[in-house]
Every structure is written in C-alpha cells, then in structure tokens.
Amino acid sequence: MAGQKHDPVGQYDSPVKRRVAIALHHYRMAFSRDTRSIFGDALALSKLSDLTRIPALVLEGGQVLIDSAAILDHLDALVAPEAALIPRSGPECRRILQATVLAQGTLEKIAAVVYERHFHLAAHISPEWEQRCASQATAGLALLEQLCAAPWFCGASFTHADAMMATTLTYAHLRLPDIVPPGAYPKLHANARACEALPAFQAAAISASETMPNS
Ligand SMILES: N[C@@H](CCC(=O)N[C@@H](CS)C(=O)NCC(=O)O)C(=O)O
C-alpha cells in the first residue's frame, strides 16, 4: 500500500500501538515491525518520535505520524469508505468516535495507575492520585459496559471502538487485574473474546517477552 512503509515501535502491550497494528492487519496493509521498547530504547526512539511516545508511523518519504487517532485517520483514508473501520462522517461516525475516546480515556487512567505503581517506590506512590485514577477508570469501564452492544461494541460491524475497547481490557488484565475483578463487565468481556479471536488481533498478540522495563 502506497504511503506507509513502516510501523515503528512494536510492543503490543501498548493498546494504542496494538490497535494501529490491528487496523494494519485488518486492512491487509504490509508493514515491518520495530519491536524496540519506548522505555528500554527511549533514547533511540526519541530521534524518531519527538515526544518519545508510541505509536508512530513512518511514511514513505520519512514523515512520521504520531498518535493512534491521527495514524488511523491516515490509514482509514487509504481504504474504500465502506471498508473503513469508521464512517467518514455522520451520526454513526460520532457514536463510534465517542465510544473509542471513552475507551481510550479509560485506558489512560488505567495506565496512570500502572505507571504510578511501576515507576515509584512504594513509599513515593501518591495514594490520592492512584485512587483518583482508579475511580476514573472504574467509572469509564462501568459506562462502557452499559454502552456495549452486540455482536460488536457499536452494533452490527466491527469498528475502531471494538479495537480500542478490547485492547484496553486485555491490557487491564495484564497490567492492572484489580481494576477488572472477576464477574465484572460481562458484556465487555464477551466483546473482547470475540475481538481476540479475530485474525487481525491474533496477528498482533502480546508476546510473553513484552514486560514493563524499569527505565
Ligand atoms: N494519545 C496517544 C497516547 C500514546 C501513549 O500513551 N503511548 C504510551 C504507550 S501506551 C507511551 O508512549 N508511553 C511512554 C510515555 O508516555 O512516556 C495515542 O493514542 O497514540
């Protein structure tokens, strides 16, 4: 596919990175994977992505796109409108976008707790911040559970909302299992199981070697 040559940073335990890879697989766009870690390889990756964050997509010609939403907007424009994982405009587009950003905001709060616990000594963790983020994440998960339709999050079709939600739930189980207690969020779990069974998800599975480095 013209216009995209490379999908730089490859740790699939990042839901936003993983949702980009899932879209690339879903759209059958060829890409090469760079498996460096945004933490362990931060210096090298800062030369590629000024904010030292993933995902980033290097286009033919060297331009680097950052942020999963901007990258997906670029990829969506490369396929026929009816094949895109979100309509170009209209009420359905807004519904999918709102579900997607709700899932992404929930992920950000889950990740804030993960980072707080991982990068601070126990004595330096802020209980107020940790509690605030966990409450926000729980509120997000509760609303997402209410909104989740079937067979896919927004109804009849698999969309970017499914990819964002399912990768977030899988991440929560991996990095912050206490935020998803057993029996909670049955609709989200059914959705995630259906997503994780898709070939595009399986092609972007998180490997056992993807761990949180200390720096
Ligand atoms: N809004 C951004 C979020 C990107 C993001 O949070 N990336 C994380 C990995 S999941 C990261 O690079 N973390 C390292 C850091 O922020 O220093 C997107 O959707 O791409």
Side-chain angles (χ1 to χ4, degrees):
M1 178 79 52
Q4 131 255 331
K5 119 189 154 180
H6 195 97
D7 187 17
V9 186
Q11 301 270 321
Y12 286 159
D13 62 338
S14 158
V16 281
K17 165 61 207 290
R18 194 170 175 225
R19 80 185 187 113
V20 168
I22 287 163
L24 285 163
H25 283 296
H26 179 88
Y27 291 149
R28 299 180 189 281
M29 293 173 175
F31 66 100
S32 58
R33 192 173 163 207
D34 178 337
T35 56
R36 286 177 292 179
S37 159
I38 198 60
F39 292 108
D41 304 302
L43 183 61
L45 294 174
S46 69
K47 297 176 174 49
L48 185 71
S49 167
D50 290 317
L51 292 178
T52 319
R53 301 188 88 192
I54 57 162
L57 187 77
V58 183
L59 304 184
E60 295 288 350
Q63 186 192 358
V64 179
L65 297 184
I66 60 161
D67 199 290
S68 60
I71 293 168
L72 291 173
D73 180 65
H74 168 77
L75 299 180
D76 294 343
L78 297 175
V79 301
E82 61 279 9
L85 289 171
I86 186 167
R88 297 270 193 266
S89 61
E92 194 54 16
C93 170
R94 279 192 295 281
R95 195 160 84 92
I96 294 167
L97 216 43
Q98 281 302 298
T100 304
V101 296
L102 181 60
Q104 185 163 3
T106 301
L107 163 68
E108 285 168 10
K109 302 317 295 189
I110 294 171
V113 177
V114 172
Y115 286 12
E116 184 70 18
R117 290 183 187 174
H118 187 80
F119 290 110
H120 290 146
L121 296 172
H124 296 167
I125 289 175
S126 162
E128 293 80 11
W129 176 245
E130 186 189 34
Q131 186 51 51
R132 178 190 163 94
C133 293
S135 297
Q136 289 167 301
T138 299
L141 288 167
L143 179 54
L144 286 155
E145 172 72 10
Q146 273 180 40
L147 295 174
C148 186
W152 301 107
F153 193 96
C154 289
S157 307
F158 172 77
T159 69
H160 287 313
D162 294 282
M164 187 71 256
M165 186 63 246
T167 57
T168 292
L169 205 65
T170 299
Y171 175 84
H173 279 283
L174 184 68
R175 297 280 181 247
L176 195 67
D178 45 311
I179 207 79
V180 277
Y185 316 120
K187 290 196 284 178
L188 297 182
H189 282 92
N191 175 264
R193 275 194 300 278
C195 288
E196 293 290 352
L198 294 173
F201 271 68
Q202 292 186 356
I206 302 171
S207 76
S209 62
E210 292 175 28
T211 54
M212 288 277 289
N214 289 325
S215 59

